[in-house]
Amino acid sequence: MNLPVPVPFTPAAPAELSIALAVSALLFGLGIVGFLSRRNMIIMFLCTELMFQGAALAMIAFARQYMDVSGQVFVIFILTVAAAEAALALALVVLLYRCRETLNSEAWSDLGEGGA
Amino acid sequence: MVPILYYAACAVASVGLLLLIKPRGSRRRVGVSILGLAGVAWILVLAARSATADAPGLVGVGCMALCAFVAIAAAVRVITHPRPVFSALYFVLVVVSSAAMYVLLSAEFVAFSLIIVYAGAILITYLFVLMLAQQAPGDTQGADAIGYDRIPREPAGAVFAGFVIVAALGGSIFSPAPAGGNVLDQRAAIRQGWMDLATMPKFLLARARTVDPTVTALAPRVAGAEGTPSIEPQIDGSARVMVLRAGAPTAIALSLPPSLLPDNTSRVGMALVTRFPVSLELAGVILLMAMLGAVVLARRQIELADDERRAHAGLPRHAEPPVEGAP
């Protein structure tokens, strides 16, 4: 087990892995709490990015644990999807803002034709 | 035993978060923040203690805990700060501290691309949209804009949902890791590392020359044929590669020490182009589609009468709508 190999080819210290997993769970939970409790649409999308961060951190931690770079490659794809999501979500937010001139998501709580 | 302590720590952190989300006076905020951060620290300590069977690298674990603490505290500020621009700036702090954790977990390439892509591109886009959508100073909606950012929606339910999810996810932290799996994983990783090097013949030749400067070329697997060089990983982490030397007619075996294994960035690059090439192309397609979609969405004009728009926003109309049948 104690081979003289470079650091990426040795398993992580167990405490490091546990802390990284705890942080990823907490970031994901905080993202959900923020998404449910904030009313500002842009902040709601920012909270989904917080959840992306939690998931990506878990990927990196397991890539370290199993000494396999697939997890890191997956994080690169997560970054791609996050960028695409940010572009589309912000375009939608701009569109919605032009309709009602407010970022309050409560303004969209009724889906009727008149919105009354 | 440990999961119950963990659930208790989650509950303490949840109560602290709930009290933080509700708008209160500033003096009470300090005590409440201490309560929430104590809960988070308790979770982190439990996580660290659950796995200290081996001798821990104290410096690494300490740095990790520090980054973890900064990331969590900044994330709490993201979801509780009443001003959206400050929320976005605290998110940059989350990104930077998680990039530091990536470096500690020896994922350097992803760490810096995270900072460049997230903090540099995505967050700047968020800031631009936030500023575009800011209320003008003389706008009658100014008070409302502050109001809906300050008053949370269903904070108790949201925090309870977060508590349930974190408590459920945390079970994975305390489940014991499979014993003996790491040796096989490590052997597989080292073998993959040498095989990655074999697909980069010039890189491998340069590394072989650092061991023996008289090496002129790598011997192909089949004599006289082009192709991947012959490399054989050994049980001690080194590898034997067949090379040709100046003046020698036949190939001889050269032993490469483990310190010549490819670094992390090379491994990620090799994995991207050899194991996931289709995904890489699809990622490009996704980005192109997202760009086109964003352009199409943001260009659309909304045709609404000014009065209708004001009515949708909950403002009084300029004039009463015409009543049908009235004279």
Side-chain angles (χ1 to χ4, degrees), chain B residues 35-125:
Chain B
L35 177 67
L37 289 180
V40 170
W42 191 7
I43 293 176
L44 292 180
V45 167
L46 280 179
R49 277 187 56 198
S50 76
T52 42
D54 308 8
L58 270 185
V59 178
V61 174
C63 291
M64 194 69 146
L66 186 69
C67 295
F69 213 71
V70 172
I72 298 298
V76 169
R77 285 310 275 153
V78 169
I79 68 170
T80 57
H81 205 287
R83 291 188 187 178
V85 175
F86 282 81
S87 285
L89 291 178
Y90 273 111
F91 191 84
V92 176
L93 189 55
V94 174
V95 168
V96 169
S97 49
S98 27
M101 294 179 78
Y102 287 12
V103 171
L104 288 171
L105 292 166
S106 76
E108 300 87 4
F109 175 74
V110 188
F112 289 103
S113 53
L114 185 81
I115 289 185
I116 292 169
V117 173
Y118 251 101
I122 297 181
L123 260 295
I124 296 301
T125 318

Side-chain angles (χ1 to χ4, degrees), chain B residues 171-206:
Chain B
S172 65
I173 300 173
F174 296 104
S175 59
N182 271 339
V183 181
L184 294 181
D185 290 334
Q186 190 178 26
R187 246 177 241 159
I190 291 172
R191 182 175 184 81
Q192 184 70 45
W194 286 120
M195 288 304 161
D196 283 350
L197 263 190
T199 55
M200 296 182 276
K202 282 184 183 169
F203 207 38
L204 182 58
L205 180 61

Side-chain angles (χ1 to χ4, degrees), chain B residues 65-276:
Chain B
L66 186 69
C67 295
F69 213 71
V70 172
I72 298 298
V76 169
R77 285 310 275 153
V78 169
I79 68 170
T80 57
H81 205 287
R83 291 188 187 178
V85 175
F86 282 81
S87 285
L89 291 178
Y90 273 111
F91 191 84
V92 176
L93 189 55
V94 174
V95 168
V96 169
S97 49
S98 27
M101 294 179 78
Y102 287 12
V103 171
L104 288 171
L105 292 166
S106 76
E108 300 87 4
F109 175 74
V110 188
F112 289 103
S113 53
L114 185 81
I115 289 185
I116 292 169
V117 173
Y118 251 101
I122 297 181
L123 260 295
I124 296 301
T125 318
Y126 270 91
L127 278 180
F128 272 127
V129 173
L130 271 174
M131 289 168 182
L132 275 178
Q134 285 292 342
Q135 308 290 330
D139 200 329
T140 49
Q141 273 188 311
D144 179 49
I146 296 171
Y148 70 73
D149 271 328
R150 193 161 278 174
I151 300 166
R153 175 182 57 197
E154 301 282 348
V159 170
F160 182 71
F163 164 75
V164 168
I165 283 183
V166 173
L169 281 178
S172 65
I173 300 173
F174 296 104
S175 59
N182 271 339
V183 181
L184 294 181
D185 290 334
Q186 190 178 26
R187 246 177 241 159
I190 291 172
R191 182 175 184 81
Q192 184 70 45
W194 286 120
M195 288 304 161
D196 283 350
L197 263 190
T199 55
M200 296 182 276
K202 282 184 183 169
F203 207 38
L204 182 58
L205 180 61
R207 292 192 172 216
R209 280 201 179 122
T210 62
V211 177
D212 184 354
T214 63
V215 170
T216 54
L218 299 168
R221 190 178 293 270
V222 182
E226 294 289 318
T228 53
S230 163
I231 187 165
E232 280 184 15
Q234 303 294 307
I235 196 81
D236 63 347
S238 65
R240 297 172 82 82
V241 59
M242 303 300 287
V243 293
L244 297 170
R245 274 190 192 156
T250 54
I252 57 154
L254 182 69
S255 179
L256 300 181
S259 60
L260 293 181
L261 274 165
D263 58 6
N264 219 322
T265 310
S266 321
R267 289 173 78 207
V268 171
M270 287 310 296
L272 266 178
V273 294
T274 57
R275 279 194 271 165
F276 306 98

